[in-house]
Structures are given as structure tokens and as C-alpha cells.
Amino acid sequence: MRVALVGARGHGARHVANLVRLGHDGLATFVGVVDVVDVEDLPVPSYPDLPSLAAELHPEIVVISSPPATHRDLVLSAFELGCDVLVEKPAVLSLTDFDDISAEALERGLVGQVGFQTQGTGSYRRLCSLIGSGALGDITGIGAAGRWVRTDSYYERSDWAGRQGDDGTLVNPFAHALQNALLLADVEERADIAVELELFRCRDNITADDTACVRVTAEGAPPVVVATTLCATTSLPPVVLVHGTLGQAVWWYDDDRLTVNDHRMAVAPSVDLLENLIRHRQTGEPLVAPLAAARAFTAIAEQCGKADVPLLPARRVGDRVVLDGIDEVVVRAAEKMATFSELGSGFGR
């Protein structure tokens, strides 16, 4: 399959390496890159826009790894050129845009895959199997906790970093935690979810949250609570907790590691999202992270972009900001299925 990449810097560099790998394996032909600046040491030609690339190189798949606010127009452009799409998360930032790109794909008989790569891990598939088999009993809640340290340079990497509507802990750095929890609760495509948000920032030079808690509920589904911060004392791998009447599953999705009642589970190898999209085109293999499964996530992202984000008092430690006590609070929220305010943490409303 002929594949083009939009956005070769930052996270896009990983796509460059993956496309080179797939080329060596004979699964894809990496034809070209679109970027607004010159990128050094690319193995393929670079173009200023997607139509000019497509006119000469005729890609069949377009990978989009550009800033979130550019995704809608780029996805629509790729669909109009007859290409399937792998778009980085968040796919788009509003339900209107989500409906627009979904309708365009349906009309043209094309597909979109979203860059939630942890859905391709063996640990995710094993966890889904355990839930589906009843091994954990009735699922009473899905909690997730993310605790990372981010320095000043994190917010200096681009003009949209830390900007409400484009960034925020639930929308970007811990988007996988939120999406995975929604999937495990089986509400990822639902429009009838109720969302409770508690968003905060500890830096006065950003407008997006760097500390957040969301609870999502829907009739007939277990509740979801995701608590996150970029102002932790120490960075630790993000974790998803599946609470069941017969036990608890603990999933470290970045590490592809899963335990059930403290027993380490064997897992199958991961599935690459682009390989999966290629096989979907060739053989009809089901998509790992289809666009349709990002509807609830997009609804929450849109609300995050409009919510009040008050400033919390925090302390500066060198080139980072630390919110004392938050490390424990985000874990308690995931364990107790409670919001910050319900925990009496002092961070809630």
C-alpha cells in the first residue's frame, strides 16, 4: 500500500521510523511527507500540502500526525482524495467535526483509524476477553490514574501546547487512559453519556488543564473515573483499574502489562495500527481503533475545551511545578471511583 505522512516532526518522527520498517518488511511503500517546514534526513520527498503530494504520488493511505486543530481539514482532504486515514489522537476536537468526517468516510466508502495504539496491545485484548468471559464478575467501575512530571520545555514545544481546546491532560497526554476506560465500560460510541469534569491548572501561562478528574456515567454501563496530573512529585506509568465483583484487573497500558488479583497475565504480541489498517483494506480484518469508537472521547474533549479551568496554588521546583498531595489523590480517585471534590482533597469544586 502506498502511504503518505502529514507531520514528520515530534510524534511524527515515530511514524517515519514505522513506515521505513514497514517498507523493509514489504507491507507498505512510504511515498512522501507533508510538512510546513523542511525536515532533515527524510527518506522520501516533502511537499507543502496534501493535494500537491497526491497529484504526483497517489497515496492510498494518509497518516496524519499534525497539531489537533488541523485534523478536521486534513482528514476531509484525504477522504476527498480517496485515501483511508490513520489520524493521531485526538482525531478532532468537537462532535460537529466528528460527524463531518464520519459522514464523509461513509459517503466515500473509506475508513478512519485513530492513533490509540494501546488498543492494539495484547494486554488490552486479554483484558477484554477476561471481562467478556465473566472472569472478573460483574464490572462495578473502571478507574484510571495518570501521574507524570512535565517540565517547562513540555509547554514550549509548540504554540498549541497548554492551550485549552487543543491540549489538556485528558485530551492529549492521558488520552489513552480516558479512551481505554471508555472502551472497557463499552460506552465509546454512545451519545447518551453524562460527564462530570473537574479541571485545574497549576501554571499561569497555560489555559488548558494540567490536573483533571472526569466521571462518565451511562445507563446500563459501569461508571468511569479518570484522574490525571502533569504536576506529580514523581512520574509513574499510567494505570487502568477494572473493579469487578470477583476481583480486580490492573492494566499498565504503556508497559503492556496486566495483572488480575495480583497474578501477572500472559499476553499476545501487540498489533501495529498501520499494519492493521493495511490488512483491513486487503483482507477485511477488523480495525483495532476505528473512528466510530472515538465518539464519546470526542464529546468529552469538546467539553474540556469549554470548561472553566481555575488556577491552583502549587510550588515551583526548578523547571517544573509540583502540586503537593496530587500523586495520592489521583490514585484514590481511580480506586474509590470518586471525584477530587468527593475525596475531600481540596482540589475539587
Side-chain angles (χ1 to χ4, degrees), residues 4-327:
L5 171 65
V6 179
R9 294 166 292 147
H11 187 73
R14 299 185 185 182
H15 286 293
V16 171
N18 192 42
L19 281 161
V20 171
R21 176 186 68 85
L22 293 176
H24 289 157
D25 292 344
L27 295 175
T29 300
F30 185 16
V31 296
V33 161
V34 173
D35 211 306
V36 295
V37 300
D38 291 332
V39 182
E40 295 182 357
D41 301 323
L42 286 174
V44 292
S46 180
Y47 292 78
D49 56 67
L50 188 55
S52 60
L53 180 150
E56 293 188 13
L57 302 178
H58 311 292
E60 298 163 281
I61 295 173
V62 174
V63 178
I64 297 172
S65 185
S66 55
T70 67
H71 287 181
R72 176 193 181 275
D73 290 346
L74 285 167
V75 171
L76 288 175
S77 179
F79 284 156
E80 289 166 3
L81 292 165
C83 302
D84 291 320
V85 169
L86 169 59
V87 57
E88 271 303 331
K89 50 78 183 170
V92 287
L93 298 168
S94 74
L95 283 176
T96 297
D97 290 349
F98 181 88
D99 290 340
D100 286 347
I101 64 173
S102 298
E104 188 72 15
L106 180 63
E107 180 179 341
R108 295 180 180 271
L110 298 168
V111 296
Q113 176 120 285
V114 184
F116 288 113
Q117 69 269 13
T118 59
Q119 294 172 224
T121 60
S123 52
Y124 171 71
R125 299 195 301 277
R126 184 69 186 277
L127 181 52
C128 289
S129 177
L130 290 167
I131 293 172
S133 70
L136 297 175
D138 295 331
I139 304 304
T140 59
I142 311 290
R147 298 157 290 173
W148 280 346
V149 172
R150 287 295 180 263
T151 62
D152 295 341
S153 62
Y154 177 82
Y155 293 101
E156 296 165 356
R157 73 191 192 281
S158 67
D159 60 1
W160 58 270
R163 186 170 66 195
Q164 189 179 22
D166 296 305
D167 206 357
T169 60
L170 298 170
V171 174
N172 190 17
F174 293 110
H176 294 291
L178 175 58
Q179 175 68 358
N180 288 329
L182 295 170
L183 286 161
L184 293 171
D186 197 23
V187 298
E188 70 277 8
E189 296 188 28
R190 291 179 62 167
D192 60 340
I193 58 172
V195 179
E196 302 168 69
L197 279 174
E198 295 181 352
L199 306 181
F200 304 96
R201 56 191 174 94
C202 297
R203 294 170 178 265
D204 59 10
N205 61 339
I206 65 174
T207 54
D209 63 276
D210 56 28
T211 300
C213 185
V214 61
R215 179 159 55 199
V216 182
T217 53
E219 185 176 356
V224 165
V225 171
V226 181
T228 59
T229 187
L230 299 179
C231 304
T233 304
T234 304
S235 285
L236 290 172
V239 63
V240 175
L241 308 178
V242 180
H243 305 286
T245 56
L246 297 181
Q248 183 185 71
V250 183
W251 177 33
W252 294 268
Y253 55 82
D254 276 352
D255 298 337
D256 198 12
R257 180 161 56 99
L258 173 67
T259 65
V260 175
N261 296 334
D262 297 323
H263 175 70
R264 178 76 175 266
M265 308 299 290
V267 299
S270 295
V271 175
D272 178 77
L273 294 185
L274 183 53
E275 289 185 53
N276 169 245
L277 178 54
I278 291 170
R279 288 195 294 268
H280 174 80
R281 283 184 55 108
Q282 294 174 335
T283 69
E285 175 181 307
L287 290 174
V288 167
L291 176 62
R295 182 175 184 82
F297 176 92
T298 304
I300 296 167
E302 182 172 23
Q303 292 192 38
C304 288
K306 299 175 179 177
D308 182 36
V309 188
L311 183 67
L312 289 178
R315 61 188 176 95
R316 177 162 281 276
V317 181
D319 61 352
R320 63 193 179 100
V321 171
V322 174
L323 182 58
D324 290 323
I326 194 60
D327 301 58

